[in-house]
Amino acid sequence: MQIRDLVVQCIIGTRPEERLAKQAVVINVTLECDLRPAGQSDKLDDTVNYSAICKQLITMAEQSSFQLIERLAQEVARVCLEDPQVSAVAVTVDKPHALTNARSAAVSIHRKRQA
């Protein structure tokens, strides 16, 4: 299950000018979960509610004030893993225009539910 190209506005960066105004970041997540029950039942209760996770990600990111996209990616993973049906998550956070002559700077992480 994936949430692709979620654009959020947040304070992110280490330079003083980056701390003054929110800027866009792009979040992509792949949620690892068992989709068989929902595939058989056609019921939302049998799967991950990606709309609810999306809303939680927007709220968390827009209220955050991180310096590093690595930290934002870690917090995205934490939010996703709060859903008991998510066993693991892959997260990519892109910061457009962070580098001269490059579309974006990005980090990708993979986290599993702790036993």
Side-chain angles (χ1 to χ4, degrees), residues 8-68:
V8 297
Q9 301 290 322
C10 62
I11 299 292
I12 190 86
T14 59
R15 297 190 312 266
E17 62 272 17
E18 293 177 306
R19 310 300 299 159
L20 297 176
K22 291 184 176 186
Q23 52 189 306
V25 296
V26 181
I27 299 170
N28 284 279
V29 296
T30 300
L31 306 167
E32 295 180 26
C33 52
D34 186 357
L35 299 177
R36 289 175 292 188
Q40 293 172 352
S41 71
D42 198 29
K43 293 182 181 176
L44 183 57
D45 289 343
D46 291 335
T47 192
V48 174
N49 184 334
Y50 54 81
S51 178
I53 288 181
C54 190
K55 289 176 185 176
Q56 292 168 346
L57 293 176
I58 292 167
T59 298
M60 179 278 298
E62 292 187 348
Q63 292 177 353
S64 71
S65 181
F66 301 127
Q67 293 188 43
L68 303 177

